[in-house]
Amino acid sequence: MIDLTTRYLGLTLRTPLVPSASPLSQEIASIRRLEDAGASALVLYSLFEEQLRQESLELDHHLSTGTESFAESLTFFPQASEFRLGPEGYLEHIRQAKEAVDIPIIASLNGATVGGWAKFAKEIEQAGADALECNVYYIPTDSNLKAAEIEQTYVDIVWAVKSAISIPVAIKISPFFTNVANVAKRLDDAGADGLVLFNRFYQPDIDLEELEIRPNVLLSTPQALRLPLTWIGILYGRLKASLAATGGVHDPQDAIKLLMVGANVTMLCSSLLRNGINQIRHMERGIADWMEQHEYESVKQLQGSMSQQRCPDPSAFERAQYMRAVKSLQHVMVRG
């Protein structure tokens, strides 16, 4: 019998398959379906910092400025009329979700400043959430703002939220730091129970007919997993925090690769939106079948087996491997 259990944020989960924040968690009936399909935990859709401030005029201004983001973290701003629930409604949604299913419910706050996060995090805890994911979505546009100040914002958010609540706290970050490893260590030292790798930023598109910036949600492709695979492989064994991979997890092989470099969980969104909720069941069977064929008895045995710490060739995660990749491409061009 293959043991698929894993530990994430101090929680014991039946499998590493966790749906990330998406529209699929907006309805209780859909949450029940996710559990029935095999989800081991669930990250609820994000509540925005702007909603916490309830600055309707400013919010409407931002909503009318079209931009594009990605489904993995649900960090797009829908139209004002499409906001399903405000802060109080979000708390009630947590309560209803906890009553409806037995799997852990992870709330999600999306923002860029310390703001009211700490206060609302306490209310989220009181509503019954098993953990909180802080989705730090921050695009610095001030050329006078220094990198150290940006990084400190992330650390301050972790400190503020951790000081307010006792449930586990994960922080979702982007890969666009000068030294991701250093930022990860600082967040780990600040008390983050988990790191979610990675968030993605707005990439506006242009309507050439209307000459307008337009929003558009693009689902991820399997190629997107290379970035979290690289950094989870490097960070594994160097932090106390759990590591969650998000972005590009579309089939069992994707999840297996991420587990092998050290992920505690692999988060699903685009694959569920594209293939349906039952994709979770397909993923679970595929992981179990592969492990049985390759004589792995448990996810624990699999995790980190191909991380930088354990890889026979640690340079595979660094510059030396880049030179080999370039040479292999040159050979392909010569043969062509």
Side-chain angles (χ1 to χ4, degrees):
M1 184 69 178
I2 303 298
D3 181 6
L4 295 180
T5 59
T6 188
R7 294 277 292 174
Y8 177 60
L9 303 179
L11 305 168
T12 299
L13 306 184
R14 190 182 64 82
T15 77
L17 301 173
V18 177
S20 60
S22 82
L24 293 173
S25 61
Q26 289 184 341
E27 302 293 338
I28 296 301
S30 180
I31 292 174
R32 289 195 182 100
R33 288 179 58 210
L34 288 165
E35 181 185 44
D36 292 342
S40 63
L42 173 67
V43 183
L44 292 182
Y45 66 92
S46 296
L47 183 71
F48 294 94
E49 179 182 346
E50 285 79 357
Q51 289 173 276
L52 293 180
R53 295 200 306 261
Q54 296 183 327
E55 294 175 359
S56 59
L57 292 179
E58 179 182 346
L59 179 60
D60 187 63
H61 166 73
H62 285 296
L63 294 177
S64 63
T65 305
T67 50
E68 170 199 86
S69 80
F70 296 75
E72 248 62 33
S73 57
L74 195 66
T75 51
F76 61 93
F77 286 118
Q79 295 300 311
S81 60
E82 296 175 357
F83 270 119
R84 182 177 177 275
L85 296 173
E88 293 304 317
Y90 193 81
L91 296 174
E92 181 58 29
H93 195 57
I94 294 172
R95 297 185 191 100
Q96 292 180 7
K98 285 296 297 178
E99 292 176 359
V101 296
D102 295 324
I103 59 176
I105 296 296
I106 303 171
S108 175
L109 287 179
N110 181 305
T113 65
V114 176
W117 280 30
K119 176 182 178 297
F120 197 72
K122 189 65 177 177
E123 296 180 41
I124 282 176
E125 180 179 41
Q126 292 169 349
D130 296 283
L132 173 62
E133 181 178 290
C134 295
N135 188 346
V136 182
Y137 194 90
Y138 188 26
I139 306 176
T141 58
D142 182 354
S143 60
N144 294 314
L145 192 61
K146 297 179 180 179
E149 296 175 84
I150 298 169
E151 294 171 4
Q152 190 60 43
T153 297
Y154 285 72
V155 174
D156 290 344
I157 288 172
V158 171
W159 273 111
V161 175
K162 283 292 292 182
S163 65
I165 60 177
S166 58
I167 58 174
V169 175
I171 183 163
K172 191 169 191 174
I173 65 172
S174 86
F176 301 118
F177 292 102
T178 303
N179 187 346
V180 172
N182 177 262
V183 172
K185 183 179 185 303
R186 291 178 63 192
L187 294 171
D188 189 49
D189 291 342
D193 299 285
L195 300 182
V196 184
L197 311 177
F198 287 107
N199 200 340
R200 301 193 234 177
F201 286 160
Y202 289 141
Q203 294 179 319
D205 198 3
I206 298 175
D207 185 322
L208 294 177
E209 297 301 322
E210 300 296 331
L211 299 182
E212 294 179 349
I213 302 295
R214 290 293 178 91
N216 186 22
V217 176
L218 294 180
L219 301 183
S220 75
T221 65
Q223 285 74 26
L225 71 82
R226 298 292 181 87
L227 196 56
L229 184 147
T230 298
W231 279 106
I232 289 173
I234 292 171
L235 295 174
Y236 176 81
R238 294 180 167 90
L239 307 173
K240 299 185 293 294
S242 301
L243 297 171
T246 184
V249 186
H250 287 261
D251 60 36
Q253 289 72 29
D254 296 333
I256 291 165
K257 291 175 184 178
L258 290 164
L259 292 170
M260 292 185 82
V261 295
N264 295 89
V265 295
T266 59
M267 294 190 168
L268 311 173
C269 179
S270 290
S271 60
L272 303 185
L273 295 174
R274 183 176 284 123
N275 302 306
I277 287 174
N278 283 330
Q279 178 73 0
I280 303 173
R281 189 173 288 114
H282 164 71
M283 296 274 291
E284 182 177 333
R285 284 198 301 265
I287 293 171
D289 288 346
W290 185 92
M291 289 175 62
E292 183 175 9
Q293 293 169 11
H294 293 81
E295 300 182 348
Y296 285 93
E297 297 179 355
S298 67
V299 163
K300 184 177 180 180
Q301 180 187 3
L302 186 70
Q303 283 172 333
S305 58
M306 291 295 293
S307 65
Q308 187 180 42
Q309 279 195 346
R310 297 183 183 177
C311 185
D313 180 13
S315 67
F317 288 89
E318 298 177 356
R319 181 175 173 82
Q321 193 67 10
Y322 172 74
M323 292 184 288
R324 296 174 195 171
V326 171
K327 288 182 179 179
S328 68
L329 181 60
Q330 290 172 342
H331 291 317
V332 170
M333 293 175 64
V334 171
R335 290 199 303 269

